[in-house]
Amino acid sequence: MNKRWLSILMGMLTVLFLAACSSSDNGTSETKKANAKSDEPLVMVWYPNESGSEMAPSRDAFGAIFEKATGRKVEHKLTTDYAIAIESIANGNAHIAFMGAQGYIEAKDKSKDVEPLVVPSGESGTLDDAVYYSWLAVPKDKAEQYQKNDQYTLDTTEGKTISFVSASSTSGFKVPTSSIISHFSNKNLTEEALMEGNEVYPEVLFGDSHQGSAVNMLMERSDIAAFCDTCVEAYVELVEGKASTPGAVYKVKDNAAAPFNTLTGKEFVLIQVTPVLNAPFVVNTSVLSEEDIKTLKDLLISDETTNNKSIFVPKDSGDSGLFYRAADERFLEVEDAWFNPIRELSK
């Protein structure tokens, strides 16, 4: 008899346990569904590079078109740290983000709900040339130190101080450290070693943004700096050579905004240039409905957005913007696999 009642009791507990699990799962799904259909603000998180006051017009332009498309007020979440932006989109505290390929990969690793939405194309209007450039730069008056046989080479950087952007930056860390590790293969360097003083670079700094890394070099806190072309093009201008090629000379514009406003006229030279896959807009699918995601994607790839001069600022206008249009630039759909070349850098 005791065994029979024990069996019945265990059976009842099993049913209750399964019911509780089912209830818990449904609650989670319902919570996500409720969040996805919420009429609360659409939260967009920005990296430090795009969080400055000079980028407010570009942020506002995106806010305006997103609000019009979804009927939801847009709230801009500005950051001073890459990790905050990555965590915000991964945990669903933000609905949409603009971030580099490496940041997207890190967010995707944290949450399967993070998906790429679109990337800006190249001048061809296709993904074939959808790249920007990772730079290693030095002050112009020191540039000759970095040449060997009239060619710029990483050999000459050994023993120098270097500034990166953030360990989560694609063009400001992932790509340049990959080439450094490859070049100094006999040193057995790792990404982890390059996050602090090491055998090649006794002192390593982080600027926390591309602008901050460039400023470290221009103020001679570091000898060399890694940063990308698109994040500083509003502050600097080409004065000698071909754009984004080794040996090109750039100068800080006379009307440059902070943090370059005290560095006007300062010049630097590129000693290494590497193409990088364009940065995506990404969404967290657990807090956005399929309808909203489709609406946002359709809006971004539309001719209306392509021709919006507040989104794609005419290249020759002299105005600052997040994206520029010199030819046929536009936003294009992109799949997760497109970012695999950046994933491969970690293997």
Side-chain angles (χ1 to χ4, degrees):
M1 182 65 70
N2 287 342
K3 287 184 179 180
R4 178 173 177 272
W5 279 108
L6 180 60
S7 177
I8 292 172
L9 179 61
M10 291 301 293
M12 291 174 64
L13 289 173
T14 300
V15 170
L16 288 171
F17 176 75
L18 291 174
C21 288
S22 175
S23 174
S24 175
D25 287 346
N26 287 338
T28 301
S29 298
E30 289 302 317
T31 299
K32 287 186 174 183
K33 189 175 181 181
N35 286 341
K37 292 187 174 182
S38 171
D39 58 0
E40 293 179 354
L42 183 76
V43 179
M44 180 158 193
V45 66
W46 300 92
Y47 268 178
N49 317 307
E50 291 78 42
S51 290
S53 59
E54 73 285 353
M55 286 298 166
S58 288
R59 294 193 301 267
D60 291 343
F62 279 99
I65 66 171
F66 289 163
E67 184 170 342
K68 181 180 177 182
T70 65
R72 296 170 67 171
K73 181 180 178 181
V74 174
E75 180 182 306
H76 297 288
K77 184 181 181 71
L78 309 183
T79 64
T80 56
D81 190 296
Y82 274 53
I84 295 172
I86 292 167
E87 191 60 37
S88 293
I89 193 67
N91 64 23
N93 284 338
H95 300 88
I96 186 168
F98 176 65
M99 59 204 322
Q102 179 61 25
Y104 158 66
I105 290 167
E106 291 183 20
K108 180 73 171 176
D109 287 344
K110 289 175 178 287
S111 171
K112 61 180 177 54
D113 296 320
V114 177
E115 294 288 347
L117 197 64
V118 298
V119 296
S121 74
E123 289 190 6
S124 69
T126 72
L127 292 176
D128 293 343
D129 56 349
V131 297
Y132 62 111
Y133 295 93
S134 170
W135 290 349
L136 286 182
V138 299
K140 184 185 177 184
D141 60 354
K142 307 285 179 61
E144 288 187 4
Q145 300 177 18
Y146 299 91
Q147 289 187 340
K148 183 185 290 186
N149 300 322
D150 296 324
Q151 297 289 324
Y152 290 104
T153 171
L154 288 179
D155 288 341
T156 60
T157 66
E158 189 169 0
K160 303 292 187 180
T161 298
I162 192 167
S163 174
F164 296 112
V165 175
S166 160
S168 295
S169 172
T170 312
S171 55
F173 185 75
K174 196 75 176 179
V175 168
T177 55
S178 177
S179 61
I180 288 167
I181 290 169
S182 176
H183 185 85
F184 293 105
S185 57
N186 61 320
K187 304 287 188 182
N188 296 316
L189 288 174
T190 62
E191 278 188 5
E192 290 72 20
L194 286 165
M195 291 180 188
E196 56 188 14
N198 56 80
E199 185 180 350
V200 176
Y201 304 115
E203 185 178 359
V204 174
L205 285 70
F206 284 93
D208 297 323
S209 69
H210 289 265
Q211 295 91 333
S213 186
V215 166
N216 278 342
M217 176 268 299
L218 290 169
M219 294 190 71
E220 299 190 19
R221 297 170 185 152
S222 68
D223 300 307
I224 311 157
F227 52 98
C228 79
D229 60 333
T230 56
C231 288
V232 300
E233 62 184 338
Y235 313 90
V236 305
E237 58 189 353
L238 179 70
V239 294
E240 185 180 327
K242 184 179 178 182
S244 287
T245 59
V249 181
Y250 288 81
K251 181 179 75 171
V252 178
K253 294 178 181 178
D254 293 337
N255 62 346
F260 294 88
N261 56 314
T262 60
L263 298 166
T264 57
K266 288 273 191 179
E267 296 184 336
F268 62 88
V269 176
L270 308 185
I271 63 170
Q272 179 173 288
V273 176
T274 309
V276 184
L277 294 177
N278 273 352
F281 280 93
V282 308
V283 293
N284 186 309
T285 61
S286 73
V287 291
L288 274 177
S289 67
E290 289 184 12
E291 180 182 357
D292 274 345
I293 293 171
K294 184 178 187 306
T295 297
L296 289 169
K297 183 179 293 185
D298 289 347
L299 171 69
L300 287 169
I301 65 177
S302 70
D303 289 341
E304 179 183 358
T305 297
T306 301
N307 296 320
N308 186 331
K309 294 182 180 179
S310 295
I311 300 293
F312 283 100
V313 177
K315 189 75 171 179
D316 58 358
S317 68
D319 296 331
S320 296
L322 183 54
F323 301 101
Y324 292 91
R325 194 158 198 245
D328 296 321
E329 291 92 337
R330 63 184 303 123
F331 293 119
L332 298 171
E333 258 185 277
V334 70
E335 301 294 332
D336 174 79
W338 193 69
F339 300 98
N340 283 345
I342 302 300
R343 286 190 174 95
E344 292 295 323
L345 297 179
S346 296
K347 294 182 178 178

